[in-house]
Amino acid sequence: MKKFFLKFAKVTGVIALTFFVSMLVWANWEEPPLSEKLDLKPIHLAVFDLDKQVDAADSSLISQKLTATKGVTACTVNPQFKTVSVTFYDDEVSEEALQSVVQQKNYVASKVNFAAMEGPKCPVPMEYIDFFTNMKRTLCLR
């Protein structure tokens, strides 16, 4: 019985070591993204639907005001689809502040909720994807 447990422990140890080494190789196989190498803070995306068409002058004015707002990294006004897309740092500016900048020219802006949209969705739960992404980031030695 003792030999069985000793052999079982060795096999389990070899399997665990093989798994760890393979995860370490997988995490260091490809170059990490530039954002992780430079330790850049994450940006957030907000998309607003407008209640009416935007002419070229208002489009330019909204774009200039958003670009001048502290914390905004980029913005796009799409007059054809009546949308405004903004990428920003959430620790410097809030979505409500961005929405008020868009609404300064008598437009009603409503935030687009991407979670409520229909269509194909990933069958793998996001928690699993996050687990492997975090594990890969932790085991990366670069």
Side-chain angles (χ1 to χ4, degrees):
M1 192 73 156
K2 187 177 179 182
K3 286 183 179 182
F4 172 75
F5 285 121
L6 190 59
K7 190 172 186 175
F8 180 75
K10 283 182 183 178
V11 169
T12 304
V14 168
I15 290 172
L17 185 65
T18 303
F19 178 73
F20 178 74
V21 169
S22 63
M23 293 303 287
L24 193 66
V25 169
W26 171 69
N28 291 283
W29 190 265
E30 59 188 11
E31 187 108 3
L34 188 59
S35 61
E36 287 182 19
K37 282 172 130 182
L38 299 177
D39 196 27
L40 300 175
K41 62 182 177 178
I43 60 171
H44 296 270
L45 171 69
V47 179
F48 301 104
D49 276 333
L50 301 176
D51 63 334
K52 55 187 174 184
Q53 282 298 122
V54 183
D55 60 358
D58 285 348
S59 172
S60 177
L61 184 67
I62 292 171
S63 181
Q64 287 173 357
K65 285 186 177 187
L66 284 171
T67 304
T69 304
K70 184 179 186 281
V72 173
T73 58
C75 66
T76 303
V77 180
N78 188 336
Q80 182 180 4
F81 293 106
K82 303 186 289 186
T83 59
V84 178
S85 304
V86 185
T87 56
F88 62 97
Y89 297 119
D90 70 337
D91 60 342
E92 295 180 22
V93 65
S94 66
E95 287 184 8
E96 293 78 23
L98 296 173
Q99 190 171 7
S100 67
V101 170
V102 172
Q103 291 178 351
Q104 284 180 355
K105 271 303 261 186
N106 297 328
Y107 290 102
V108 176
S110 58
K111 186 176 180 320
V112 175
N113 184 7
F114 291 109
M117 293 193 170
E118 295 294 320
K121 298 202 177 5
C122 183
V124 179
M126 198 63 200
E127 294 83 26
Y128 296 157
I129 296 171
D130 287 340
F131 171 76
F132 281 105
T133 304
N134 291 336
M135 185 172 47
K136 185 175 181 180
R137 189 177 302 125
T138 302
L139 291 175
C140 185
L141 303 174
R142 295 183 194 195

